Amino acid sequence: MTESGERVLGLTRVEGTADWDRTYREHAAALARYLSRLARDAGTGEELMQECFARAIRHGTFPTADKDAKRWLYRIATNLAIDHLRRQRLIRFLPLVGEWIAPLGDAGTGDLVRRTLRDLPPEQATALVLRLHEGFSVREIGQMQGASETAVKQRLARGRLRFIEIYRRAGGAL
Amino acid sequence: MSHAAELLARRREEALDPAEDLYLREHLAGCAKCRELDRSIVRADRLIAGPAPAIVPGPMAPPRARMPVRAILVGALTVVLVVAGAVAGNALRERRSGQDVAGSGPAFAASVPDLPPDWSLEIRNGLLFAVPANWDAASDARDIEINDPRPQVGLAMMGGTTIGEVVEGVRESGVLVTERAIPADRPMHAYATRSSSTSTERGPTLTQHVLVQIDERTIVALSVPEKAVPGDGGAASPDDAATLELVGRSLFVLQDTDDMGTKFTEEEVVAALGRAASLEHSVLPTVDAYGVYAVNGDKYSFAHVRTFTDRATRQRQDPNLTTIQSIADWVSPVTFRGVGNVLVMVGSGDVNVRYRLLRALDSLLYPTEVVPAPTPRPPPATPMVQSTPSPAGPQRSSIALYRPTDILDGRITQLKSWAIPWAVYQPVFAGPADALVLYESPGPGTTELRVIHLTTGREEVVSMPPLHLYSQIYPLPDGRLLATGPAVLIGSPGGPAMVIADVFSQNSALSPSGSELALWSYGENVIRIVDLTSGSVRTLPERYVRCGEDGVVVLTWSPDARELAAAECADEHGDLRTWIIDARTGARSHSVPDISVRAWPTPSELFGYAGFPPGGEPQYVRIRRTGEILSRHPAGEISPDARYIAARTIKAAPTAAEPQRRIGVATLVEIATGRTVELGEDVWAVGWTPDGDLYILTHEGGS
């Protein structure tokens, strides 16, 4: 990335680690919660969070404003979550058959919510969690997902209906 | 998605325009299901927004450095084992379930296999396994090149399922060729499948798999493609099968290997010898991770690295740890697993030595709790569960023909009937021919076809083992059978079958005259037309993508066979639509959004599913070519003259003795008038003969 490009994006090169230490302290917990909502378990969510910071550091630049840092990290985390969800879908399909979807019986509500989110199209799942769990605006989600506000609204609307359908099919009561 | 449902979901994010708002309010006033959906959306929002599990991430750990410690001997065929202090059982993953726990735990991999000494070890996806000397390994079964001259074993992880379910799924999908029982002390399952090879033009290829259940939720599938398992008409080579099985037996779940992409050079390892090692740098008991690494690409050498997340570790005067930036620049891949201390180097010419030491060290560092053996889940319910007979009751099955006008007039008169075995489990493929084909399963693992010639009443039972591989079977006007699946076959019942076209398909549709066959394959997402007279195959332009992972593109011929309706999605999670296509050129005429066409009985009328409301049944609609909805009906089979719909529905019919009793009912609807008649209580399937008679298949004696 050229220096002018970095200026346009509000990024500055890291000279030390202080920024990262502070950023980690401020955002790691929230990012881990966000990613755990979409992953199979909290451990996987925390690993994704760690990978999120690893990617951010590997990028070698740092947003100037804290507000930008948060959005930037969530954007990386969202991409990671989408990759993770897509990979999980592939793993479940390959090489022979798909996963047998059965009612979960006495599985906890939290597990059922996470499982249902994993069964949604990844863009819909991440949009829903960013909106409802993390409280981002539609515009902010659009920036993180690289999509228009109209597309995000559509993902949220379809995601809500799909969530209800899958959640009920898996035995959940709404 | 119905319009009202879409509006309900949309208004959670934005104000509807006045017209939409008025429509919705009026609609809600008269639609109890919609009001319930509205409440469900609110509750779903709360669930998604609800409290997440409490996670308190540890302090940020720096990326793993390359060998910032000492005490390694490289290249020698000796073993140095240095365990740095006590190790907390703070395993990151709990995938290994009781392995190596003497006298307990599941049988899988409890014993260490004897491996040919010249085999090598691989660690892929956190799994340790041995590979024959002349084989390669791939982390992903999809990476295996079919034409690669070297045999390769590839991995695929499947979560949330059991071996039994996988095998059953393969069997049902018709790609199972052989299946070999595995001794009871090893809960593996080996079998060979015939599957498509979409990356080459060679058509179907034989791939052998060994499945290993590594924990209650995860199966590892080891696959070897055709080159490694030369088949002789479908039988896998016993030698290669045994080899793959031995690979499967060596499979061992390492607790946390992070990423094996990191390779240390010999210089780096030697440099590490001069560093303060293990105990001095340990910050116990905060150990939370360690890794296993190949050294310098040497297949005989592995290094175990124990890592720390404690910030105190990197605050020490370690040149590799002064800044995160300096580490991030040269460590790849970066994971925040802390800084490693080398614990062990394993080097030996005998793979068994390396293998056993790696397992032993892994178990030492991460002793696992004894867990009970996985409890097999019950097999998925099959449709037959609806009609399971009471053991004491008589079991009679029959298929009978009725005239729809008789039924609507209140006369239940059988035109013809046939007593058939109870074993029929999948009913009928009817085509333009004057015959019905029924699947039967007279015994476990066996499949037969019963062909009923409607005019003569003659029945044939066909035992054609290759045919059970095929997913769709049609009777042809000339009395032969057409089968689709791994290829397109035509054969006489009981006689030899001939491959008409070496084309794999997951869905097909026979043209009304029976002279052409439309095929769709998800591997290539294309539609092909097979001329059944000449065997020629033409591929239509454009891609057609199924909706969702378990779906297929549904094909429907127009009555004059000049056009096809193809129900597909823009992508696997996109919007449903049906394209109207010129069957000769593939040119698209137009698309009908949000409708999946399933029948095209007359030139101007099509039938299909419209909308899939959450928690509700999709609507079955009659439409014009343009998609304009003419009327809505119960879903079912359309009669050849497009005057009736027949369906089988399940209804609750509780009795005092059986409060959960459910019955299968045949429903006949006259489209023009909406007149509806229900009959029977043991109905298993309904459909239409080419002459327009209704057939009803019943299983009596059930509860």
Side-chain angles (χ1 to χ4, degrees):
Chain A
M1 185 182 299
T2 64
E3 282 189 22
S4 59
E6 289 169 358
R7 277 197 301 275
V8 169
L9 293 178
L11 302 174
T12 56
R13 287 202 171 277
V14 174
E15 298 300 333
T17 62
D19 285 341
W20 283 112
D21 286 346
R22 179 173 50 79
T23 305
Y24 185 86
R25 280 197 303 274
E26 288 175 1
H27 299 301
L31 282 166
R33 278 197 299 272
Y34 163 53
L35 290 163
S36 297
R37 204 69 176 149
L38 295 159
R40 178 184 289 272
D41 49 44
T44 307
E46 192 173 0
E47 286 189 20
L48 289 171
M49 180 273 290
Q50 298 279 14
E51 179 63 18
C52 173
F53 273 91
R55 284 195 186 185
I57 289 178
R58 216 158 29 197
H59 191 271
T61 50
F62 193 82
T64 48
D66 186 61
K67 184 178 64 176
D68 296 335
K70 181 181 179 185
R71 274 206 295 266
W72 183 49
L73 288 169
Y74 267 91
R75 179 170 188 157
I76 295 172
T78 299
N79 288 336
L80 273 171
I82 289 173
D83 288 348
H84 175 75
L85 292 169
R86 284 186 179 143
R87 197 162 53 245
Q88 292 301 306
R89 283 166 175 263
L90 282 175
I91 286 170
R92 278 185 288 164
F93 174 70
L94 288 170
L96 303 170
V97 293
E99 183 180 19
W100 172 51
I101 298 177
L104 276 181
D106 58 357
T109 302
D111 286 345
L112 191 51
V113 170
R114 279 204 295 272
R115 174 173 163 172
T116 305
L117 287 168
R118 288 203 306 278
D119 282 342
L120 290 179
E123 289 80 5
Q124 293 179 9
T126 50
L128 281 173
V129 176
L130 285 168
R131 182 82 183 98
L132 301 171
H133 192 258
E134 299 298 316
F136 284 104
S137 68
V138 169
R139 191 167 66 85
E140 288 172 322
I141 296 170
Q143 289 169 348
M144 291 173 200
Q145 293 192 333
S148 67
E149 290 185 41
T150 306
V152 173
K153 285 177 185 172
Q154 194 175 57
R155 286 172 186 173
L156 289 168
R158 291 183 176 174
R160 282 181 161 103
L161 297 177
R162 193 87 185 269
F163 179 92
I164 293 169
E165 179 188 353
I166 296 172
Y167 189 81
R168 283 180 171 153
R169 199 193 313 149
L174 279 171
Chain B
M1 187 188 314
S2 76
H3 187 49
E6 183 187 348
L7 293 177
L8 286 172
R10 263 182 53 203
R11 74 172 183 178
R12 301 287 296 168
E13 296 299 337
E14 59 183 334
L16 303 177
D17 71 39
E20 288 175 328
D21 191 48
L22 178 63
Y23 162 80
L24 187 58
R25 278 192 281 122
E26 289 179 349
H27 188 86
L28 282 175
C31 176
K33 280 181 72 174
C34 299
R35 291 195 297 275
E36 176 56 31
L37 174 62
D38 195 28
R39 288 190 287 271
S40 295
I41 290 174
V42 174
R43 286 193 286 266
D45 279 6
R46 287 187 191 138
L47 279 176
I48 297 169
I55 296 173
V56 181
M60 179 169 63
R64 177 171 51 239
R66 293 189 179 190
M67 294 294 149
V69 287
R70 67 171 188 178
I72 300 177
L73 289 176
V74 181
L77 302 182
T78 57
V79 176
V80 178
L81 176 60
V82 181
V83 178
V87 178
N90 186 15
L92 292 174
R93 299 186 184 120
E94 300 293 343
R95 294 211 326 241
R96 196 176 63 218
S97 302
Q99 295 175 39
D100 279 2
V101 179
S104 61
F108 161 64
S111 62
V112 177
D114 281 329
L115 303 166
D118 63 343
W119 281 29
S120 59
L121 294 180
E122 293 282 345
I123 299 176
R124 307 273 177 146
N125 302 343
L127 298 168
L128 170 69
F129 59 99
V131 177
N134 59 340
W135 287 28
D136 284 337
S139 298
D140 189 327
R142 291 167 296 171
D143 293 338
I144 295 180
E145 286 290 335
I146 298 294
N147 291 318
D148 194 314
R150 271 171 73 92
Q152 292 189 70
V153 56
L155 293 177
M157 307 282 285
M158 290 183 287
T161 187
T162 66
I163 286 178
E165 290 164 10
V166 172
V167 174
E168 188 57 33
V170 175
R171 186 183 291 120
E172 286 179 0
S173 65
V175 295
L176 186 65
V177 176
T178 62
E179 180 180 351
R180 296 200 305 119
I182 296 298
D185 63 337
R186 299 201 308 275
M188 295 192 293
H189 212 110
Y191 58 91
T193 69
R194 181 173 292 277
S195 60
S196 67
S197 169
T198 54
S199 60
T200 75
E201 296 179 350
R202 299 172 53 193
T205 59
L206 188 69
T207 300
Q208 176 155 324
H209 302 275
V210 166
L211 300 183
V212 182
Q213 187 101 39
I214 61 172
D215 64 24
E216 196 171 359
R217 302 179 303 277
T218 312
I219 292 172
V220 175
L222 298 167
S223 305
V224 181
E226 186 184 33
K227 274 291 183 186
V229 188
D232 54 354
S237 153
D239 289 345
D240 288 320
T243 302
L244 190 61
E245 213 177 289
L246 188 53
V247 174
R249 289 183 60 198
S250 72
L251 205 61
F252 183 80
V253 181
L254 294 167
Q255 281 299 288
D256 184 12
T257 55
D258 275 346
D259 194 315
M260 276 301 294
T262 301
K263 305 285 185 187
F264 298 106
T265 66
E266 183 173 338
E267 289 74 21
E268 288 167 339
V269 176
V270 171
L273 289 173
R275 300 281 315 283
S278 57
L279 289 172
E280 295 174 37
H281 279 74
S282 297
V283 185
L284 299 174
T286 56
V287 178
D288 77 345
Y290 85 110
V292 182
Y293 302 91
V295 177
N296 201 24
D298 180 356
K299 67 178 181 179
Y300 295 140
S301 299
F302 288 87
H304 272 253
V305 178
R306 207 178 72 184
T307 58
F308 308 92
T309 56
D310 194 296
R311 293 169 65 85
T313 303
R314 64 185 180 87
Q315 287 171 349
R316 297 179 181 183
Q317 296 305 307
D318 186 325
N320 289 319
L321 305 176
T322 50
T323 69
I324 293 170
Q325 181 67 43
S326 65
I327 296 171
D329 279 345
W330 52 264
V331 174
S332 180
V334 178
T335 60
F336 275 43
R337 283 298 176 209
V339 182
N341 283 341
V342 175
L343 300 181
V344 66
M345 278 293 303
V346 181
S348 170
D350 184 345
V351 71
N352 289 291
V353 175
R354 305 194 306 275
Y355 178 78
R356 289 169 187 167
L357 277 165
L358 284 171
R359 284 182 55 156
L361 183 63
D362 193 81
S363 299
L364 177 65
L365 289 170
Y366 284 91
T368 53
E369 294 179 12
V370 177
V371 297
T375 306
R377 288 198 305 207
T382 65
M384 279 296 286
V385 77
Q386 301 283 6
S387 299
T388 302
S390 60
Q395 298 177 357
R396 292 188 300 271
S397 300
S398 64
I399 188 163
L401 303 185
Y402 303 85
R403 200 167 283 132
T405 50
D406 287 351
I407 294 175
L408 289 169
D409 290 343
R411 297 190 301 274
I412 312 299
T413 307
Q414 289 186 354
L415 303 176
K416 290 178 182 175
S417 69
W418 295 263
I420 55 176
W422 177 265
V424 169
Y425 69 89
Q426 182 172 330
V428 179
F429 285 101
D434 186 28
L436 301 177
V437 176
L438 295 78
Y439 273 91
E440 295 177 6
S441 181
T446 61
T447 304
E448 292 178 343
L449 300 174
R450 178 174 296 264
V451 183
I452 299 176
H453 297 270
L454 298 173
T455 304
T456 64
R458 184 166 54 91
E459 293 178 63
E460 293 170 299
V461 176
V462 183
S463 180
M464 298 173 69
L467 275 185
H468 86 273
L469 301 171
Y470 290 78
S471 56
Q472 288 170 298
I473 296 178
Y474 306 90
L476 292 174
D478 62 6
R480 294 183 299 171
L481 297 176
L482 169 70
T484 69
V488 180
L489 284 182
I490 289 185
S492 301
M498 180 174 62
V499 175
I500 295 296
D502 193 10
V503 180
F504 194 97
S505 64
Q506 276 82 29
N507 201 21
S508 62
L510 187 63
S511 68
S513 67
S515 62
E516 287 186 301
L517 182 72
L519 302 168
W520 171 83
S521 157
Y522 71 66
E524 295 159 284
N525 289 320
V526 295
I527 297 172
R528 292 190 170 91
I529 308 292
V530 180
D531 184 321
L532 296 177
T533 306
S534 66
S536 65
V537 180
R538 64 178 187 274
T539 302
L540 302 186
E542 311 293 351
R543 294 173 76 248
Y544 294 89
V545 180
R546 60 185 173 177
C547 302
E549 294 167 0
D550 301 324
V552 293
V553 168
V554 180
L555 302 171
T556 308
W557 287 90
S558 66
D560 60 5
R562 291 183 177 177
E563 291 179 300
L564 272 173
E568 61 116 37
C569 280
D571 58 59
E572 282 204 0
H573 307 296
D575 293 333
L576 172 70
R577 61 193 177 186
T578 294
W579 284 101
I580 306 299
I581 308 165
D582 186 312
R584 189 175 52 82
T585 66
R588 288 171 166 177
S589 162
H590 62 281
S591 69
V592 179
D594 297 326
I595 290 180
S596 175
V597 167
R598 301 301 172 99
W600 197 339
T602 69
S604 59
E605 291 178 342
L606 298 84
F607 289 78
Y609 291 102
F612 293 81
E617 292 295 319
Q619 295 176 326
Y620 202 63
V621 294
R622 184 168 63 101
I623 61 172
R624 295 192 202 281
R625 277 175 56 93
T626 55
E628 181 188 349
I629 294 178
L630 299 170
S631 53
R632 301 174 191 274
H633 305 278
E637 302 290 325
I638 307 295
S639 64
D641 58 7
R643 293 178 60 194
Y644 308 102
I645 297 175
R648 178 228 189 200
T649 50
I650 300 296
K651 299 181 69 171
T655 63
E658 292 181 85
Q660 302 299 322
R661 181 170 176 263
R662 303 173 79 194
I663 59 174
V665 177
T667 305
L668 178 66
V669 180
E670 187 176 39
I671 292 173
T673 63
R675 272 200 300 167
T676 302
V677 173
E678 291 184 347
L679 68 157
E681 61 177 34
D682 300 297
V683 174
W684 175 234
V686 299
W688 300 94
T689 70
D691 290 339
D693 292 331
L694 174 68
Y695 69 76
I696 300 179
L697 173 63
T698 55
H699 286 312
E700 296 177 41
S703 57

